[in-house]
Amino acid sequence: MDKTEILKRAKEYIAAEKDERFSKEVEELIAKEDYTELEDRFYQTLEFGTGGLRGIMGGGTNRMNTLEINKATQGLANYVIKAFPDKAKAGTLSAVVAYDSRNNSDVFAEATALIFAANGIKAYLFSGLRPTPELSYAILQLKAQTGVVVTASHNPKKYNGYKAYWDNGAQVIEPHDVGIIEEVNKVTEVKTMTRVEAISSGKLVLIDKEIDEKFWAMCKSQLFRPDLIKAKAKDVRIVYTPLHGTGAMHVEKVLGDLGLKVITVPEQREPNGNFPTVEKPNPEEKPALKMAVELAKKENADGVMATDPDSDRFGTAFPDKDGNWVLLSGNQMGALLMDYVFRSRKEFNKMPANPACIRSIVTSPFGDYICKKYGVTMLDCLTGFKWIAAIEDEFEKDGSYNYVFGLEESYGYKVEKDVMDKDGVSAAAMCAEMILYWRSEGKSLLEHLDDMWKEFGYFEDRAISQNFEGMTGKETMKNMMASMRQNPPASLGGEKVVKVRDLLNDPKLPKSNVLQFYLESGTIVSARPSGTEPKIKFYINSMVPAGNGTDAWLADAKVKAGQLCNGITADIQKIIDAASK
């Protein structure tokens, strides 16, 4: 892209951007003649994808800023008006808007609400930051037609995002996602109004405790053993970190109401979009839980719990019998929660007819074995909780199954039906009860996890990701995936690849740029370019089939799985290195 075109796009952006913070950034880059940075900001327009927007904040068409938020919201408003013509005519359309602790989230959220209001759509705006699962819950409670949460979830601090939801409380999917994108791309004029005008006209309504209190009650209502909690909760000490996000208010309230002693990491309790104590506010990553684990050791706590900035992801750590703290993976906690929910439903005669669990395709098949034990059908779907919600929606329409649990390996769980997205708050409550249950049975969660491995086989998981920034990054990832399609590896980690599953040509699921390689042992390796970040991700779901169920067998299985994962990791790195040249 030549300098003339870069300057043309930059000046057009400056003229259109009403937020001086972002337009000034571009003006300063032009003054410094920083064409490398200008090219990165203007070589493309930040794409409104199937779930919304996500990108680095700043001035430019390839950045998250007020101009892009405004266009997205106007397009979404236009689509909603067309999708619900009777309600539009009657003036009864509504939307819910929430936001997390990231820099600019409150600004973007208010801009979103005011555009809805100016388009005749009543906007319910949370008075302060709130978790993503509460946004989903509020849409259903308020019977809104759409909703938006401003968040970039667990991404680094330079990112922000905009997720669009539909009237079922779930993120938009086909055909609405395509229809919204078409409307966004057609936007030439954005309607808005002032906050005073919106409130006085009744088109902007601030919400908080009337939804909060119902949400807390809902999270607690999912639990199975209130008597056990009442009797034993005071004996359990949990160290919790919201990682500078939205979780403290909700997790402290719900766990506190249950009677548990919750010790929140003081340095990470307050919302802060700069995330000063962590490089990435991601409970999947060990460094993010470092302060919580250190405090847990000091306080002699029974466990660590963590939520990401918008509180939809839930991470944990527990001490083993030797006092070493173990961080559980998303697959491991998912398996424990699944087993506990199914076990409890059976015990209290709450298992519905035709029960079904839903997991993403890159989530460990560990859960498949648990489902089989309890007579639950396991279904898989594309990565992203919107697909889990979509399948659950189908159950409601055709009556084929009854939803009992949903999970994905990236620390996402849904134990309830009142939220149509992953929910770290309700997962924390269920995990707390599960800790108490297994303690009453004389076991820790880690000891029960060992028992499950002895029964079903040992499962170990790894995730490998490689960033590819800028213009060339997308092309590199595209070429890497094309190469693996044309010449799939014959073996990985010394094991033969016996089957290749290409999600661009899978008859059971919507098309997606994902490849899965099935190995002789039952191990699955998946390759997937991220939908929200400039990186490609590889998932290793290794398996050692069940043996004699002894401690010696488990120790040997762990060694075998570790060796296999190491070998696969080395082979994947070769693929990445070859593509990066």
Side-chain angles (χ1 to χ4, degrees), residues 24 29 35 92 135 322 423 431 535 544:
K24 281 184 177 179
L29 290 170
Y35 289 103
T92 58
L135 178 277
D322 299 318
D423 181 2
C431 180
K535 67 182 179 183
V544 177

Side-chain angles (χ1 to χ4, degrees), residues 387-418:
W387 298 111
I388 291 176
I391 294 176
E392 182 182 348
D393 249 3
E394 290 177 13
F395 296 168
E396 295 295 321
K397 292 171 183 174
D398 63 23
S400 56
Y401 294 100
N402 284 293
Y403 176 91
V404 288
F405 195 73
L407 73 159
E408 59 182 13
E409 53 75 38
S410 56
Y411 291 57
Y413 321 102
K414 190 169 95 70
V415 302
E416 73 269 54
K417 298 177 75 171
D418 305 82

